[in-house]
C-alpha cells in the first residue's frame, strides 16, 4: 500500500466523521458555516484520495471531474452524477457570497453529499482492507 494513499485515507476518515457530526448538530449560522467548511475539506480530501488510488492503478487524473469519472468506472463510487453535483456545489460555495444560496447548499450537504461521501469511505476502506492498493 502506498504511503500517500494511507495518509489521504486517514485524513479523509477524520474529515468525514467530523462532517457527519457537524451536519447532525448544526443549528445556527456559525455552526452551519463551519459545516460548509468541513464539507469543502472533505470534498478536497475525497478527490485527492481518489486521485492517489487511481494513480496506483496506473490511471492519471488531473481534475475532480476526471477523478469522479474514473472512480465510477473503477467501482469507487456508485453515483457519478451525485459527485458532479458536489463539484457544482463546491464551486458555488467558493464563488458565491449569498446567505440564501449557502443555506440551500447546506441542505444538500446534509441530505445528499454526506451520504455519497460515506459510501465512498466504506468502499475505499474495504479496498484497503483487502489490500487492493
Amino acid at each position: 500500500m502506498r504511503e500517500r494513499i494511507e495518509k489521504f485515507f486517514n485524513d479523509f476518515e477524520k474529515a468525514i466523521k467530523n462532517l457527519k457530526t457537524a451536519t447532525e448538530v448544526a443549528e445556527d449560522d456559525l455552526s452551519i458555516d463551519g459545516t460548509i467548511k468541513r464539507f469543502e475539506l472533505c470534498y478536497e480530501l475525497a478527490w485527492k484520495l481518489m486521485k492517489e488510488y487511481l494513480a496506483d492503478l496506473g490511471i492519471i487524473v488531473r481534475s475532480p471531474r476526471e477523478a469522479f469519472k474514473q472512480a465510477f468506472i473503477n467501482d469507487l463510487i456508485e453515483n457519478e452524477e451525485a459527485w458532479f453535483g458536489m463539484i457544482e456545489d463546491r464551486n458555488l460555495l467558493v464563488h458565491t457570497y449569498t446567505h440564501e444560496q449557502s443555506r440551500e447548499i447546506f441542505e444538500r450537504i446534509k441530505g445528499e453529499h454526506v451520504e455519497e461521501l460515506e459510501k465512498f469511505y466504506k468502499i475505499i476502506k474495504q479496498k484497503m482492507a483487502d489490500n487492493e492498493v
Side-chain angles (χ1 to χ4, degrees):
M1 179 183 317
R2 291 183 44 198
E3 190 176 307
R4 285 180 55 91
I5 294 171
E6 192 169 331
K7 182 194 180 324
F8 279 118
F9 175 79
N10 290 335
D11 290 344
F12 178 66
E13 183 175 47
K14 291 172 192 165
I16 188 68
K17 288 177 183 178
N18 287 337
L19 175 62
K20 186 172 182 189
T21 300
T23 60
E24 292 168 354
V25 300
E27 293 178 357
D28 59 13
D29 283 344
L30 187 59
S31 59
I32 289 171
D33 290 346
T35 302
I36 288 169
K37 285 297 175 194
R38 286 182 188 272
F39 164 73
E40 291 174 1
L41 174 64
C42 221
Y43 167 89
E44 292 296 325
L45 289 169
W47 101 258
K48 289 177 181 175
L49 176 56
M50 284 178 197
K51 180 180 176 182
E52 287 300 318
Y53 180 86
L54 292 165
D56 202 58
L57 298 177
I59 302 165
I60 305 304
V61 296
R62 290 182 169 70
S63 70
R65 189 168 296 278
E66 284 181 75
F68 301 158
K69 285 181 182 181
Q70 288 299 321
F72 180 72
I73 290 167
N74 288 279
D75 299 319
L76 294 176
I77 60 173
E78 298 172 355
N79 185 341
E80 184 180 22
E81 291 304 316
W83 285 81
F84 292 157
M86 272 192 243
I87 291 173
E88 291 174 25
D89 281 345
R90 186 260 177 203
N91 289 342
L92 283 170
L93 288 167
V94 172
H95 302 291
T96 302
Y97 305 99
T98 68
H99 178 81
E100 295 78 22
Q101 194 164 34
S102 69
R103 294 315 177 252
E104 289 172 16
I105 294 170
F106 169 75
E107 291 303 322
R108 284 195 294 276
I109 291 168
K110 190 174 170 180
E112 301 166 25
H113 299 333
V114 168
E115 182 180 338
E116 290 302 320
L117 289 160
E118 284 185 309
K119 287 179 189 175
F120 168 63
Y121 167 73
K122 289 174 184 171
I123 291 169
I124 197 80
K125 183 177 181 178
Q126 185 61 53
K127 287 186 178 292
M128 291 178 71
D130 294 343
N131 287 319
E132 291 187 25
V133 286

